[in-house]
């Protein structure tokens, strides 16, 4: 039991983490200002507190003390403004850092020698806030402005090195080597911060491109689905209409009752096709899948609509029947639609291509682990020319539709007819 629970946690934990990350990603663009303010407060609470603590015992002239305090304050405030006005925030942070670098060194008593020691304001922890602004401008701005930000930061490194060289000699006897090492260290920190920002920008651009590609593929898939639905509706309806019109014209002068029945069948089939087409084209007009021009779309056809489908074909003059064996079970709406379109395609082919005495059977075999569907016609005598031309798109779309629900389909001509056979696995438990 414990092993199963641990396995369950190991499987669900990444999913929960992904869900939380997805929620955060959706929340951030809507509350970006709040994130920026909280980040600024967090940095002020940590680095600002360390700066205040480190400044204890340091002394500047009153004017420079106020100037340094204002510069550090501006530096912290720009963090809250960095995404709304990235260039202005970076410019303000750069000026604040320039003031901090050029400020006179503070005087403090050396605890060892008891003599005076000079400490640059640059050495206070709040100076690290500038790296946040550099990262932000590298992660948001265009390549030209990003490079300009890098150049100005590196220029600041040169100024900072020149200003602190004498101070570094107070703590070590390395001379120019210490100043050089200090300069290289600052350059590496600046470069790494800028590169991480550019990597973040590239990642964000890649995510946007991936989403755009996913949207494009979704559009193509939807277009393919609409094309398959359009073919099924138009091909079946026109085949029935054409056969009824042919028969009605043949008996019009001899049997007005039969001709009238054919016309009524044509009218009913046309109205049904128009209703289906209106619902399908509504998908293109309105992204809302439930409401189209104030009306609710009819549900997709399923197994319950097969008797009506077969009866409509029977009215066209083709001897069609629906046969079922076994104990039915729930197969899901997608599979029901695939079965309906399978039967529709097989019946349409029989109406279009079979002879005048054609017989066609739609058979559903309900087996314990699968549903097998057969649509078989006997040819009805010599094959005649197709009333509605086709290019094989129906069978291709049928294969894609059946494969999408995990089934398989074969369509093969026989000596005296044509057979379509499909098998659908049982993937949905009975309701």
């Amino acid at each position: 039991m414990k092993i199963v629970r641990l396995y369950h946690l190991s499987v669900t934990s990444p999913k929960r983490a992904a869900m939380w990350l997805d929620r955060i990603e959706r929340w951030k663009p809507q509350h970006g200002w709040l994130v920026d303010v909280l980040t600024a407060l967090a940095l002020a609470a940590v680095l600002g507190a360390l700066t205040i603590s480190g400044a204890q015992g340091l002394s500047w002239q009153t004017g420079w003390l106020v100037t340094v305090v204002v510069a550090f304050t501006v530096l912290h405030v720009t963090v809250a403004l960095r995404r709304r006005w990235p260039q202005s925030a970076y410019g303000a942070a750069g000026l604040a850092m320039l003031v901090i670098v050029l400020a006179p060194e503070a005087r403090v008593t050396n605890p060892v020698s008891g003599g005076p020691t000079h400490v640059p304001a640059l050495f206070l922890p709040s100076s690290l806030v500038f790296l946040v602004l550099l990262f932000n401008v590298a992660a948001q701005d265009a390549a030209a402005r990003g490079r300009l930000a890098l150049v100005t930061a590196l220029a600041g490194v040169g100024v900072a090195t020149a200003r602190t060289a004498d101070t570094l000699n107070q703590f070590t006897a390395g001379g120019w080597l210490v100043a050089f090492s200090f300069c290289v260290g600052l350059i590496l920190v600046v470069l790494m911060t800028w590169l991480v920002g550019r990597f973040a920008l590239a990642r964000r651009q890649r995510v946007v491109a991936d989403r755009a590609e996913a949207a494009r593929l979704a559009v193509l898939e939807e277009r393919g689905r609409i094309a398959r639905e359009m073919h099924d509706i138009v091909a079946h309806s026109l085949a029935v209409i054409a056969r009824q019109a042919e028969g009605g014209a043949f008996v019009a002068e001899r049997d007005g009752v039969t001709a009238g029945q054919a016309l009524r069948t044509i009218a009913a089939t046309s109205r049904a096709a128009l209703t289906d087409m209106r619902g399908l084209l509504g998908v293109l007009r309105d992204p809302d899948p439930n409401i189209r021009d104030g009306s609710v779309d009819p549900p997709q056809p399923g197994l319950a609509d097969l008797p009506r489908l077969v009866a409509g074909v029977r009215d066209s003059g083709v001897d069609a029947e629906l046969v079922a064996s076994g104990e039915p079970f729930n197969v899901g709406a997608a599979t029901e639609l695939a079965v309906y379109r399978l039967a529709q395609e097989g019946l349409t082919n029989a109406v279009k291509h079979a002879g005048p005495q054609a017989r066609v059977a739609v058979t559903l075999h309900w087996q314990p682990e699968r549903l097998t569907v057969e649509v078989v016609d006997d040819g009805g005598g010599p094959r005649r020319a197709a009333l509605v031309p086709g290019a094989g798109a129906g069978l291709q779309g049928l294969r894609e539709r059946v494969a999408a629900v995990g089934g398989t389909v074969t369509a093969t001509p026989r000596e005296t007819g044509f057979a379509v056979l499909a098998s659908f696995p049982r993937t949905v438990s009975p309701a």
Side-chain angles (χ1 to χ4, degrees), residues 58 104-121 123 163-176 178-179:
L58 299 182
E105 297 173 339
R107 294 172 58 87
V108 65
T109 302
N110 192 315
V112 178
S113 63
T117 299
H118 300 281
V119 177
F123 286 1
R163 288 286 297 172
T164 57
D166 293 337
T167 303
L168 292 174
N169 289 330
Q170 297 180 87
F171 302 103
T172 180
W176 68 269
V178 174

Side-chain angles (χ1 to χ4, degrees), residues 302-315 320-322 340 343 347 362 364:
L303 298 179
D305 299 290
L306 286 178
R308 177 176 57 85
L309 177 67
V310 173
V313 172
R314 189 183 302 118
D315 292 340
E321 63 175 346
L322 175 64
Y340 181 89
L347 292 171
V362 179
L364 277 64

Side-chain angles (χ1 to χ4, degrees), residues 350-422:
V351 171
K352 291 166 58 178
H353 303 296
Q357 305 300 322
R359 294 173 57 88
V360 57
V362 179
T363 306
L364 277 64
H365 298 287
W366 296 94
Q367 301 170 354
E369 297 300 327
R370 64 184 57 253
L371 168 63
T372 302
V373 183
E374 294 180 349
V375 184
V376 180
D377 71 79
D378 62 2
R383 295 267 169 168
R384 58 179 183 166
L387 293 174
V388 181
L395 291 177
Q396 179 60 32
L398 186 62
R399 292 188 181 93
E400 296 174 359
R401 189 190 299 276
V402 172
V405 295
T408 58
V409 62
T410 58
T412 56
R414 305 194 312 170
E415 185 176 351
T416 59
F418 199 83
V420 179
L421 173 64

